[in-house]
mmCIF file of all heavy atoms in Angstrom:
data_model
loop_
_atom_site.group_PDB
_atom_site.id
_atom_site.type_symbol
_atom_site.label_atom_id
_atom_site.label_comp_id
_atom_site.label_asym_id
_atom_site.label_seq_id
_atom_site.Cartn_x
_atom_site.Cartn_y
_atom_site.Cartn_z
ATOM 1 N N MET A 1 71.464 -3.422 -62.688
ATOM 2 C CA MET A 1 71.172 -2.048 -62.317
ATOM 3 C C MET A 1 69.878 -2.032 -61.520
ATOM 4 O O MET A 1 68.895 -2.621 -61.911
ATOM 5 C CB MET A 1 71.027 -1.197 -63.563
ATOM 6 C CG MET A 1 70.954 0.295 -63.251
ATOM 7 S SD MET A 1 70.978 1.280 -64.761
ATOM 8 C CE MET A 1 72.665 1.019 -65.252
ATOM 9 N N ALA A 2 69.922 -1.410 -60.396
ATOM 10 C CA ALA A 2 68.764 -1.437 -59.497
ATOM 11 C C ALA A 2 68.062 -0.103 -59.502
ATOM 12 O O ALA A 2 68.632 0.931 -59.790
ATOM 13 C CB ALA A 2 69.232 -1.775 -58.077
ATOM 14 N N PHE A 3 66.766 -0.162 -59.162
ATOM 15 C CA PHE A 3 65.953 1.059 -59.103
ATOM 16 C C PHE A 3 65.217 1.109 -57.783
ATOM 17 O O PHE A 3 64.855 0.087 -57.231
ATOM 18 C CB PHE A 3 64.914 1.054 -60.241
ATOM 19 C CG PHE A 3 65.539 1.143 -61.597
ATOM 20 C CD1 PHE A 3 65.896 -0.025 -62.268
ATOM 21 C CD2 PHE A 3 65.794 2.359 -62.197
ATOM 22 C CE1 PHE A 3 66.470 0.036 -63.513
ATOM 23 C CE2 PHE A 3 66.367 2.409 -63.453
ATOM 24 C CZ PHE A 3 66.711 1.243 -64.112
ATOM 25 N N LYS A 4 64.977 2.333 -57.293
ATOM 26 C CA LYS A 4 64.190 2.498 -56.083
ATOM 27 C C LYS A 4 63.000 3.370 -56.414
ATOM 28 O O LYS A 4 63.132 4.379 -57.108
ATOM 29 C CB LYS A 4 65.037 3.148 -54.986
ATOM 30 C CG LYS A 4 64.289 3.228 -53.662
ATOM 31 C CD LYS A 4 65.195 3.721 -52.549
ATOM 32 C CE LYS A 4 64.452 3.802 -51.241
ATOM 33 N NZ LYS A 4 65.311 4.280 -50.163
ATOM 34 N N ARG A 5 61.833 2.959 -55.959
ATOM 35 C CA ARG A 5 60.618 3.678 -56.299
ATOM 36 C C ARG A 5 60.191 4.530 -55.112
ATOM 37 O O ARG A 5 60.113 4.038 -53.997
ATOM 38 C CB ARG A 5 59.532 2.660 -56.657
ATOM 39 C CG ARG A 5 58.201 3.305 -56.982
ATOM 40 C CD ARG A 5 57.203 2.250 -57.411
ATOM 41 N NE ARG A 5 57.654 1.624 -58.641
ATOM 42 C CZ ARG A 5 57.071 0.574 -59.167
ATOM 43 N NH1 ARG A 5 56.040 0.021 -58.573
ATOM 44 N NH2 ARG A 5 57.541 0.058 -60.281
ATOM 45 N N PHE A 6 59.897 5.764 -55.389
ATOM 46 C CA PHE A 6 59.397 6.677 -54.362
ATOM 47 C C PHE A 6 57.982 7.083 -54.725
ATOM 48 O O PHE A 6 57.717 7.499 -55.843
ATOM 49 C CB PHE A 6 60.287 7.929 -54.285
ATOM 50 C CG PHE A 6 61.647 7.661 -53.744
ATOM 51 C CD1 PHE A 6 62.714 7.358 -54.608
ATOM 52 C CD2 PHE A 6 61.880 7.672 -52.389
ATOM 53 C CE1 PHE A 6 63.963 7.097 -54.120
ATOM 54 C CE2 PHE A 6 63.155 7.410 -51.893
ATOM 55 C CZ PHE A 6 64.192 7.130 -52.765
ATOM 56 N N GLU A 534 58.279 8.523 -59.539
ATOM 57 C CA GLU A 534 59.574 9.090 -59.926
ATOM 58 C C GLU A 534 60.650 8.024 -59.722
ATOM 59 O O GLU A 534 60.814 7.487 -58.634
ATOM 60 C CB GLU A 534 59.870 10.321 -59.075
ATOM 61 C CG GLU A 534 61.102 11.067 -59.555
ATOM 62 C CD GLU A 534 61.247 12.373 -58.803
ATOM 63 O OE1 GLU A 534 60.241 12.854 -58.265
ATOM 64 O OE2 GLU A 534 62.372 12.873 -58.751
ATOM 65 N N HIS A 535 61.349 7.687 -60.770
ATOM 66 C CA HIS A 535 62.390 6.662 -60.722
ATOM 67 C C HIS A 535 63.747 7.331 -60.628
ATOM 68 O O HIS A 535 64.095 8.148 -61.452
ATOM 69 C CB HIS A 535 62.347 5.783 -61.977
ATOM 70 C CG HIS A 535 61.044 5.068 -62.127
ATOM 71 N ND1 HIS A 535 60.768 3.893 -61.495
ATOM 72 C CD2 HIS A 535 59.931 5.398 -62.841
ATOM 73 C CE1 HIS A 535 59.546 3.487 -61.820
ATOM 74 N NE2 HIS A 535 59.019 4.404 -62.639
ATOM 75 N N ILE A 536 64.484 6.950 -59.635
ATOM 76 C CA ILE A 536 65.825 7.499 -59.451
ATOM 77 C C ILE A 536 66.845 6.370 -59.504
ATOM 78 O O ILE A 536 66.729 5.382 -58.787
ATOM 79 C CB ILE A 536 65.931 8.234 -58.098
ATOM 80 C CG1 ILE A 536 64.908 9.370 -58.057
ATOM 81 C CG2 ILE A 536 67.340 8.741 -57.867
ATOM 82 C CD1 ILE A 536 64.910 10.119 -56.746
ATOM 83 N N GLU A 537 67.781 6.509 -60.371
ATOM 84 C CA GLU A 537 68.775 5.449 -60.554
ATOM 85 C C GLU A 537 69.762 5.445 -59.380
ATOM 86 O O GLU A 537 70.249 6.462 -58.946
ATOM 87 C CB GLU A 537 69.542 5.690 -61.856
ATOM 88 C CG GLU A 537 70.550 4.597 -62.130
ATOM 89 C CD GLU A 537 71.237 4.820 -63.440
ATOM 90 O OE1 GLU A 537 70.749 5.683 -64.212
ATOM 91 O OE2 GLU A 537 72.249 4.159 -63.688
ATOM 92 N N ILE A 538 70.023 4.198 -58.850
ATOM 93 C CA ILE A 538 70.986 4.031 -57.759
ATOM 94 C C ILE A 538 72.167 3.224 -58.292
ATOM 95 O O ILE A 538 71.989 2.092 -58.710
ATOM 96 C CB ILE A 538 70.362 3.300 -56.556
ATOM 97 C CG1 ILE A 538 69.167 4.108 -56.032
ATOM 98 C CG2 ILE A 538 71.386 3.064 -55.460
ATOM 99 C CD1 ILE A 538 68.446 3.432 -54.891
ATOM 100 N N PRO A 539 73.309 3.771 -58.306
ATOM 101 C CA PRO A 539 74.475 3.035 -58.852
ATOM 102 C C PRO A 539 74.825 1.846 -57.990
ATOM 103 O O PRO A 539 74.575 1.840 -56.797
ATOM 104 C CB PRO A 539 75.572 4.100 -58.851
ATOM 105 C CG PRO A 539 75.151 5.112 -57.832
ATOM 106 C CD PRO A 539 73.661 5.113 -57.807
#
Side-chain angles (χ1 to χ4, degrees):
M1 190 173 289
F3 294 90
K4 185 173 180 180
R5 178 176 296 172
F6 291 92
E534 188 172 338
H535 299 276
I536 301 178
E537 182 177 348
I538 300 177

